[in-house]
Amino acid sequence: MKHLLTTSELEIKEINKILDDAQCFLNGGTWTPEQKVFVANLFFENSTRTKCSFEVAERRLGLDIIPFEVSTSSVSKGESLYDTVKTLEAIGVHAVVIRHSQDRYFDELTGRSGVSILNAGDGCGHHPTQSLLDLLTIKQEFGSFEGLKVAIIGDIAHSRVARSNADALVRLGAKVVFSGPKEWFNEELLENGMYEDVDTAVETADAVMLLRIQHERHESKANQTAEEYHQAYGLTEERERIMKPNSIIMHPAPVNRGVEIADCLVECERSRIFKQMQNGVYIRMAVLKRSIEHIEGGANHVNINQKWPVAY
Amino acid sequence: MKHLLTTSELEIKEINKILDDAQCFLNGGTWTPEQKVFVANLFFENSTRTKCSFEVAERRLGLDIIPFEVSTSSVSKGESLYDTVKTLEAIGVHAVVIRHSQDRYFDELTGRSGVSILNAGDGCGHHPTQSLLDLLTIKQEFGSFEGLKVAIIGDIAHSRVARSNADALVRLGAKVVFSGPKEWFNEELLENGMYEDVDTAVETADAVMLLRIQHERHESKANQTAEEYHQAYGLTEERERIMKPNSIIMHPAPVNRGVEIADCLVECERSRIFKQMQNGVYIRMAVLKRSIEHIEGGANHVNINQKWPVAY
Amino acid sequence: MKHLLTTSELEIKEINKILDDAQCFLNGGTWTPEQKVFVANLFFENSTRTKCSFEVAERRLGLDIIPFEVSTSSVSKGESLYDTVKTLEAIGVHAVVIRHSQDRYFDELTGRSGVSILNAGDGCGHHPTQSLLDLLTIKQEFGSFEGLKVAIIGDIAHSRVARSNADALVRLGAKVVFSGPKEWFNEELLENGMYEDVDTAVETADAVMLLRIQHERHESKANQTAEEYHQAYGLTEERERIMKPNSIIMHPAPVNRGVEIADCLVECERSRIFKQMQNGVYIRMAVLKRSIEHIEGGANHVNINQKWPVAY
């Protein structure tokens, strides 16, 4: 099996291969495994975008999807994640996509099961497919990452997106700055970028990446209303006006409209928010292909359905 | 995109086209879109019949269905219906079937997204596929609507079925009367039919259409038991005996057995209740085809998988 | 339709046919119905193994699966199981797989609907596919059942597995003994086997079948901790050492690790626990085929997709 756990563990050439494959799918390329391949999507946390996006990607690849609802599974009888994954393996599932509230939940799985694990978000840890789709969106816009400045603004302390993205962007040659409430900035982030005040960040960045206030992940700041946050750290209409001419707005969504970003900017010309979602499907096709190819076999393996690569 | 929102907005010729297409499917006709078409079923209210019926119809047409459970989606993080639908559009969903407790929920969607909306029930508003399957059931029985008398009996104030059906039936040439607790009759209904006492209605109608007491939609009448309701307004065995020889019994279900209708009449010879459900699948195939054909394209579009129409 | 309700009602030759078909599938045999066949999985109790296993089996046979979630169905509006099944029948579902907390829930369904019922567990009653997969696992190991001794240990009073298995094993020529807390042994079980103390049972059995403590089905024995149960009746590492050389360990799962069985034994060499799960898929393919063949028709029926039997 071949896992996708964190962006940090992907080498630059692997990242580039995934981005290329995704772009190839976006341009109409197709790929289907030779044999029946079963996958299951285990979402222990709520999701629309990531889950539905994986579901579309899986169907586009012709995979067979075994439905799994946490609330009606044996997890509610106390079965562990390890035993759940081993069970799915036993009944013939080749790959599982998992979102779980526990940081690095996958450490208890890798090396102990033959199933490919695709991480769709672990606690406040990582969210590699979100990072990869962000990278693809930036690459489509600017051609390369060299010399770009990306501002990551908002709930950086609790964001698996901030963590995953910053590391990859820096390795790819971009400069990253963080902004938002200063108490959410911490030492660990320094490794990849400095803190910058929000106005400077917005004014100088090529990509302004806003993060969702994750009400479900931290104590609400009772003394700060949504409107106050918006004025202090959000992308207001005023701030949008000081952005560089070709700079773009990004957000992993779901968006709290009027908080991280003014309602009317969500679908404005600079916004790539819905394009990010589109790209998500192709990124997920690429990482599923990457894991399944590995399942399918060795060097002598001939895939009669292989329609890959296509000319484009 | 081509929406299906209310029966009222469908012209008579559109209704007839849908009924014809549904009958064609029922007689063994098949139709499959040329390209992969993705749909999602968003049921914000519980359902067995309507949801499963759409699921069967979608599979019969070879569509790809993206599972969506409200309770495990980002709706539970506060994401709006609009943003949910825009997200599904971004990841490649072409049509969404929606049931929602809010009247005219679709007003915030149409014109702002490229996805086809198929209304599977909005609040106390409309339920067009239920109306259409009722119309098909009546047409199969009597050949036409001209001169028929249809009695709609029960919870008419809260029924989206009453509203949708009465309008279409009157336009198609039938006469509609309403019966049930008089306090549930209101001015608005007068547009399409008069109130009639339940015994006269049952005795003179060609189709007796009973409505479900929607406990979930109004304050229970604490002083009236189910048995009292049954005696006062239900289709008792006694009332069934005074029905016209060829008249039929209809109910959108789920049935409260022994309340709207005597238990033993649910599957009696006059009952078309399960036939209505059968017809529902073909109606949903027809309206899905109507929305998807529109997606697929213009006048020059040649559908190589087009097996439509069949000789029958 | 052809139901699968309890193991007891299956004749020996039917059991052997199912085991043969399952083994045939395991060896690579395939079978697909000629027409589109719709199934629905109705799980009124939580499940990972059984539900996912049926889902894999159904997809391997090329069936169309209509998703059904109890919590979002009309069951929550009070619709009965009978009306739910009749509804599914009306919309074109051919077979339903049901797990329900009520013993013999199927008595109100059989003979009143044309749908094939496959029992995936009824209350404390039966669980025929679990029994059949247990039988297949034993047969693979020992070639036949004649003269084998099987020890069923644990929560025998509340176990549908104990009930279903003991009857079939005895009819197939094996000897069954029961062990565990003596207060959970009852008269009814005597029909198929005696009570034996746990050490003797473990020492002399060819197959040691441990049952899950079903916390959700009986009052917890407040004065007995999990560790106490493990020492008194569980398969400890000490007890495993006195097992016969070729004897095997079985458990229907989910396993309470460290209670019914020592954590480290779950995946030990003697354990067939995950193999049981593997076999479950093939058993379910076999029983689905059995029900669907019956749907598909009479003696003159020619199945053009029939790839059955394969040489093996």
Side-chain angles (χ1 to χ4, degrees), chain A residues 21-299:
Chain A
D21 276 7
Q23 188 65 44
C24 183
F25 280 124
L26 194 159
N27 293 342
T30 61
W31 179 87
T32 310
E34 182 184 351
Q35 60 185 78
K36 247 178 156 30
V37 170
F38 286 92
V39 298
N41 302 309
L42 277 57
F43 278 70
F44 291 81
E45 293 191 319
N46 296 335
S47 169
T48 293
R49 247 156 306 280
T50 308
K51 181 160 189 293
C52 290
S53 181
F54 266 111
E55 296 266 0
V56 171
E58 288 153 1
R59 278 167 180 78
R60 285 203 177 279
L61 297 177
L63 311 185
D64 277 282
I65 306 161
I66 299 305
F68 184 91
E69 288 293 330
V70 172
S71 64
T72 56
S73 74
S74 290
V75 170
S76 52
K77 298 181 194 169
E79 187 158 37
S80 68
L81 181 59
Y82 173 74
D83 279 334
T84 299
V85 169
K86 289 294 281 186
T87 296
L88 292 170
E89 181 181 12
I91 65 174
V93 169
H94 302 92
V96 290
V97 176
I98 305 180
R99 168 170 290 186
H100 200 284
S101 61
Q102 189 193 313
D103 282 28
R104 299 193 67 83
Y105 66 80
F106 41 76
D107 284 342
E108 64 163 325
L109 304 175
T110 53
R112 298 176 66 199
S113 122
V115 171
S116 291
I117 311 288
L118 290 99
N119 181 15
D122 65 297
C124 295
H126 298 267
H127 190 352
T129 56
Q130 178 69 44
S131 295
L132 289 162
L133 72 88
D134 289 340
L135 296 177
L136 181 60
T137 307
I138 293 170
K139 190 175 177 186
Q140 287 168 346
E141 203 68 33
F142 302 103
S144 100
F145 301 92
E146 212 57 59
L148 290 182
K149 177 172 178 181
V150 179
I152 303 180
I153 302 173
D155 196 353
I156 42 185
H158 304 86
S159 173
R160 38 198 182 204
V161 180
R163 208 168 303 250
S164 289
N165 273 355
D167 165 78
L169 282 165
V170 167
R171 285 195 289 144
L172 286 159
K175 180 186 173 187
V176 171
V177 296
F178 298 100
S179 195
K182 199 153 187 182
E183 60 271 35
W184 288 346
F185 183 76
N186 59 42
E187 292 286 303
E188 194 198 336
L189 292 164
L190 262 180
E191 196 180 313
N192 289 310
M194 303 291 287
Y195 179 87
E196 208 168 74
D197 76 275
V198 65
D199 290 302
T200 311
V202 165
E203 194 171 359
T204 56
D206 296 290
V208 171
M209 195 177 282
L210 304 160
L211 300 178
R212 183 170 163 270
I213 302 296
Q214 304 199 50
H215 304 297
E216 66 273 27
R217 283 192 203 281
H218 57 82
E219 311 292 297
S220 70
K221 304 189 67 181
N223 53 345
Q224 190 176 46
T225 65
E227 179 54 26
E228 282 166 357
Y229 180 92
H230 185 55
Q231 290 306 327
Y233 309 108
L235 189 66
T236 58
E237 292 181 68
E238 292 68 38
R239 287 199 182 99
E240 189 271 339
R241 277 186 222 115
I242 60 169
M243 286 177 70
K244 288 167 63 178
N246 295 313
S247 63
I248 60 171
I249 300 168
M250 300 173 72
H251 191 301
V255 174
N256 295 308
R257 286 171 179 259
V259 185
E260 300 103 43
I261 177 172
D263 188 16
C264 65
L265 295 178
V266 173
E267 296 172 62
C268 76
E269 212 179 311
R270 283 188 195 281
S271 168
R272 296 297 175 269
I273 298 177
F274 287 101
K275 191 172 186 195
Q276 286 172 275
M277 298 181 205
Q278 279 182 325
N279 283 334
V281 173
Y282 302 108
I283 285 292
R284 279 143 195 151
M285 291 174 78
V287 298
L288 285 161
K289 169 173 172 283
R290 176 177 172 269
S291 288
I292 292 163
E293 281 179 326
H294 199 88
I295 292 169
E296 289 214 304

Side-chain angles (χ1 to χ4, degrees), chain A residues 36 38 64-69 71-74 76-77 79 82-83 86-87 90-91, chain C residues 46-49 52-53 55-56 59-60 69 99 212 216 254 257 267 274 277-278 281:
Chain A
K36 247 178 156 30
F38 286 92
D64 277 282
I65 306 161
I66 299 305
F68 184 91
E69 288 293 330
S71 64
T72 56
S73 74
S74 290
S76 52
K77 298 181 194 169
E79 187 158 37
Y82 173 74
D83 279 334
K86 289 294 281 186
T87 296
I91 65 174
Chain C
N46 296 336
S47 169
T48 293
R49 250 155 304 279
C52 290
S53 181
E55 295 266 2
V56 171
R59 280 168 179 77
R60 284 202 177 280
E69 288 294 329
R99 169 170 290 188
R212 183 170 162 269
E216 65 273 25
R257 285 171 180 258
E267 296 174 62
F274 287 102
M277 298 180 205
Q278 279 184 324
V281 173

Side-chain angles (χ1 to χ4, degrees), chain C residues 258-307:
Chain C
V259 185
E260 301 103 42
I261 178 171
D263 188 17
C264 65
L265 295 178
V266 172
E267 296 174 62
C268 76
E269 211 178 313
R270 284 185 194 281
S271 169
R272 296 296 175 270
I273 297 177
F274 287 102
K275 191 172 188 196
Q276 286 172 274
M277 298 180 205
Q278 279 184 324
N279 284 333
V281 173
Y282 303 107
I283 285 292
R284 278 142 196 151
M285 290 173 80
V287 299
L288 285 160
K289 170 173 171 283
R290 176 178 172 269
S291 287
I292 292 163
E293 281 178 326
H294 199 89
I295 292 167
E296 288 215 304
N300 296 320
H301 173 78
V302 179
N303 183 344
I304 53 163
N305 292 324
Q306 179 88 41
K307 306 192 193 68

Side-chain angles (χ1 to χ4, degrees), chain C residues 5 21 49 58 69 82 113 124 157 167 171 175 180 195 209 231 297 308-309:
Chain C
L5 306 177
D21 277 7
R49 250 155 304 279
E58 289 154 2
E69 288 294 329
Y82 173 76
S113 121
C124 296
D167 164 79
R171 286 195 288 144
K175 182 188 171 185
Y195 179 87
M209 195 178 283
Q231 289 307 327
W308 191 268

Side-chain angles (χ1 to χ4, degrees), chain B residues 56-278:
Chain B
V56 171
E58 289 154 1
R59 280 169 179 75
R60 284 203 177 281
L61 296 178
L63 312 184
D64 277 283
I65 306 161
I66 299 306
F68 185 91
E69 289 293 329
V70 172
S71 63
T72 55
S73 74
S74 289
V75 170
S76 53
K77 297 182 195 167
E79 186 157 38
S80 69
L81 180 60
Y82 173 75
D83 279 333
T84 299
V85 169
K86 289 294 282 186
T87 296
L88 293 170
E89 180 181 13
I91 64 172
V93 169
H94 302 91
V96 290
V97 176
I98 304 180
R99 168 169 291 187
H100 200 285
S101 61
Q102 187 192 315
D103 282 29
R104 300 193 66 82
Y105 66 82
F106 41 76
D107 285 342
E108 64 162 325
L109 304 175
T110 54
R112 297 177 66 200
S113 122
V115 171
S116 293
I117 312 287
L118 290 98
N119 180 15
D122 64 298
C124 296
H126 297 268
H127 191 351
T129 57
Q130 179 70 42
S131 294
L132 289 161
L133 74 86
D134 288 340
L135 296 176
L136 181 61
T137 307
I138 293 171
K139 190 175 178 188
Q140 287 168 345
E141 204 68 33
F142 302 103
S144 102
F145 300 93
E146 212 57 58
L148 290 183
K149 177 172 177 180
V150 179
I152 302 179
I153 302 174
D155 196 353
I156 42 186
H158 306 87
S159 170
R160 37 199 183 205
V161 180
R163 209 169 300 251
S164 288
N165 272 356
D167 165 78
L169 282 164
V170 167
R171 285 194 290 143
L172 286 159
K175 181 185 171 185
V176 171
V177 296
F178 298 100
S179 194
K182 200 156 187 180
E183 59 273 32
W184 288 347
F185 183 77
N186 59 42
E187 293 287 302
E188 195 200 337
L189 292 163
L190 261 180
E191 197 181 313
N192 289 308
M194 304 289 288
Y195 179 86
E196 208 168 75
D197 76 274
V198 65
D199 289 301
T200 310
V202 166
E203 194 171 359
T204 57
D206 296 291
V208 171
M209 195 177 283
L210 304 160
L211 300 178
R212 182 168 164 272
I213 301 296
Q214 303 200 51
H215 304 298
E216 66 273 26
R217 281 190 203 283
H218 57 82
E219 311 292 295
S220 69
K221 304 188 67 180
N223 53 345
Q224 190 177 49
T225 65
E227 178 55 25
E228 281 166 357
Y229 180 91
H230 184 56
Q231 290 307 327
Y233 309 108
L235 189 64
T236 59
E237 292 183 69
E238 293 69 35
R239 286 197 183 100
E240 187 270 340
R241 279 187 220 111
I242 61 169
M243 286 177 70
K244 289 168 62 176
N246 295 314
S247 63
I248 60 171
I249 300 168
M250 301 173 72
H251 190 302
V255 174
N256 295 307
R257 287 171 180 259
V259 185
E260 299 104 42
I261 178 172
D263 188 17
C264 65
L265 295 178
V266 173
E267 297 174 62
C268 76
E269 212 178 311
R270 284 186 193 282
S271 169
R272 295 298 176 269
I273 298 176
F274 287 102
K275 192 174 185 193
Q276 287 172 273
M277 297 179 205
Q278 278 182 326

Side-chain angles (χ1 to χ4, degrees), chain C residues 209-246:
Chain C
M209 195 178 283
L210 304 160
L211 301 178
R212 183 170 162 269
I213 302 296
Q214 305 200 49
H215 303 297
E216 65 273 25
R217 284 192 201 281
H218 58 83
E219 311 292 296
S220 70
K221 303 188 69 179
N223 53 344
Q224 190 175 48
T225 65
E227 178 54 27
E228 282 167 356
Y229 180 91
H230 184 56
Q231 289 307 327
Y233 309 109
L235 189 65
T236 58
E237 292 183 69
E238 293 69 36
R239 286 199 181 98
E240 189 270 340
R241 278 186 221 112
I242 60 169
M243 286 177 69
K244 288 167 62 178
N246 295 312

